[in-house]
Amino acid sequence: MIAYLKGSLESVYERSIIIDVGGVGYLVNASPATIGRLPARGNNLQIFTYLQSNDTGQSLHGFLTQEEVRMFTLLISVSGIGPKVASAILGAMSPQQIILAIVAEDAVALSKAPGVGKKTAQRLMLELKDKIKTDSAGEDTSPAFAMRGETTAKQDAMDALLALGYGRAEAVQAVLEIAEGEMSADGIIKQALKKLSKG
């Protein structure tokens, strides 16, 4: 598995880029939204990747954050959602916005992404909600137990961080350290991601 590529941005196309890594050019599929956030050609960059294998061969899909890769993996696990639609969703919404829409069962928000109709949005919510929501029943000794009775914003933020691949302990610690007053779940998630990315 190729986790990331670090090299020079050699070519940019409508939905893909070529990165030169030590004299080897890697073709990486990327959404227009991701491409729009890249540095100018010739500059160095690091891009996180997901290697997809199927009957037609292998392809690399690139993202600027690990959270986007984790969300991409979740999205393509949904029946009927392939890499193209998953990339379109991530191009229209951030990982935390997608998670909050699923938790809130907001099909309208999900339907704003290109290629996602009402039925696809409903299927996405149905298949991913259990993967995103966590059940802390019977885990009184777990750090998550400290979240019981807390605001929905804090719980939703913790669920979002867990869905993005962070450990339960670090997710809870980050949320409890950051959440203040009437902060929204989205605000907590953004601050927590900044904190966790800095280690």
Side-chain angles (χ1 to χ4, degrees):
M1 179 66 74
I2 301 174
Y4 66 85
L5 295 173
K6 186 182 291 185
S8 172
L9 180 61
E10 293 302 304
S11 301
V12 178
Y13 304 105
E14 185 178 357
R15 293 188 177 274
S16 63
I17 59 175
I18 294 178
I19 301 176
D20 184 317
V21 182
V24 178
Y26 288 85
L27 177 65
V28 181
N29 294 313
S31 71
T34 296
I35 291 174
R37 292 152 57 200
L38 295 177
R41 285 178 57 188
N43 287 330
N44 290 329
L45 80 161
Q46 174 175 300
I47 194 159
F48 297 95
T49 57
Y50 176 85
L51 178 62
Q52 184 189 33
S53 298
N54 53 36
D55 296 338
T56 60
Q58 296 182 325
S59 58
L60 272 176
H61 300 270
F63 307 91
L64 292 180
T65 68
Q66 290 177 313
E67 289 78 21
E68 289 175 314
V69 177
R70 291 167 183 152
M71 178 53 65
F72 179 82
T73 305
L74 278 176
L75 290 172
I76 62 175
S77 73
V78 176
S79 57
I81 293 185
K84 186 175 181 180
V85 174
S87 293
I89 295 172
L90 278 166
M93 305 171 71
S94 68
Q96 54 263 42
Q97 289 174 330
I98 296 170
I99 289 172
L100 290 173
I102 292 170
V103 170
E105 298 186 2
D106 188 351
V108 175
L110 292 170
S111 297
K112 291 179 181 178
V116 179
K118 184 178 179 181
K119 289 184 178 179
T120 300
Q122 290 174 336
R123 184 168 63 251
L124 193 152
M125 291 186 297
L126 178 65
E127 294 189 27
L128 291 187
K129 191 162 187 178
D130 287 342
K131 294 181 181 180
I132 289 174
K133 292 296 269 181
T134 58
D135 182 5
S136 59
E139 298 181 7
D140 291 8
T141 57
S142 162
F145 182 65
M147 296 293 291
R148 290 186 185 176
E150 294 286 357
T151 64
T152 300
K154 290 181 181 178
Q155 184 63 54
D156 285 348
M158 188 188 75
D159 289 338
L161 294 174
L162 291 172
L164 290 173
Y166 291 101
R168 184 183 296 274
E170 62 180 344
V172 173
Q173 182 178 356
V175 170
L176 292 178
E177 289 180 0
I178 290 167
E180 295 180 356
E182 299 298 321
M183 285 182 69
S184 66
D186 192 45
I188 297 172
I189 293 169
K190 288 179 180 177
Q191 293 300 317
L193 288 174
K194 288 181 181 179
K195 179 180 178 62
L196 291 168
S197 65
K198 294 178 181 177

